[in-house]
Amino acid sequence: MKKQRPVNLDLTTISLPASAKASILHRVTGVAMFIALILVVWAWAVSLSSAEGFELVKSVLTSHFAKFLAWGTITVLLYHVIGGIRHMLMDLGYWEELSSGNTSARVAIGLWILLAVLAGGWLWF
C-alpha cells in the first residue's frame, strides 16, 4: 500500500530548533575528533621516536596551516565537551522542556563560539 504523505526534499526550507542544531553539532564534533586523533597520534609517535622526530613535529606544528588545524581540533573538543555536559544534565532531568532545551542549546553554542575565539587568540597571539 502506497502512503500518501508530503515529502519535503528541499533541506534549505527546513528550520531546525536550536536544540536540534546543538545535538547534530555534538555528533559532528565527535566524528571530527576521531579524525583529528589521527594527526595527534602521528605527532606523538614521531615526536617520541627521536630528537630529529621531535624537531620535525615542532617545525610542522609551527606553520599557520598547522595552527589552523590545531585551532579546529581545540574548538571541536571544546564543543563536544560543552555539548556532552549539556546532554548529561538533560539526562539528569534538567532542560528537558522545549523552551529550556532551546535556551540551553543557544547558551552552549554561544559559549563555544566565545571559547573558540579565545582559543584562536591563545594560538596566534
Side-chain angles (χ1 to χ4, degrees):
M1 179 173 193
K2 186 176 180 181
K3 294 182 181 181
Q4 298 295 328
R5 59 183 183 186
V7 177
N8 183 3
L9 297 178
D10 186 9
L11 298 178
T12 61
T13 63
I14 298 173
S15 178
L16 295 174
S19 57
K21 292 176 185 174
S23 181
I24 291 168
L25 192 55
H26 186 255
R27 294 167 195 252
V28 168
T29 57
V31 172
M33 279 192 333
F34 182 76
I35 293 169
L37 189 61
I38 296 168
L39 176 65
V40 172
V41 169
W42 171 82
W44 279 341
V46 173
S47 69
L48 294 175
S49 65
S50 65
E52 293 81 21
F54 179 80
E55 289 301 322
L56 171 68
V57 171
K58 186 177 172 183
S59 67
V60 167
L61 292 182
T62 55
S63 71
H64 289 293
F65 182 69
K67 284 185 179 183
F68 180 74
L69 286 178
W71 176 76
T73 302
I74 291 168
T75 57
V76 162
L77 177 63
L78 285 171
Y79 184 78
H80 200 72
V81 168
I82 293 168
I85 291 169
R86 178 180 169 268
H87 279 291
M88 284 192 296
L89 289 171
M90 291 175 73
D91 288 342
L92 292 173
Y94 301 100
W95 304 325
E96 290 183 325
E97 297 81 24
L98 182 62
S99 63
S100 61
N102 283 331
T103 302
S104 70
R106 286 187 198 100
V107 168
I109 292 171
L111 179 62
W112 172 56
I113 291 170
L114 174 68
L115 291 175
V117 169
L118 291 174
W122 174 67
L123 274 175
W124 273 287
F125 300 108

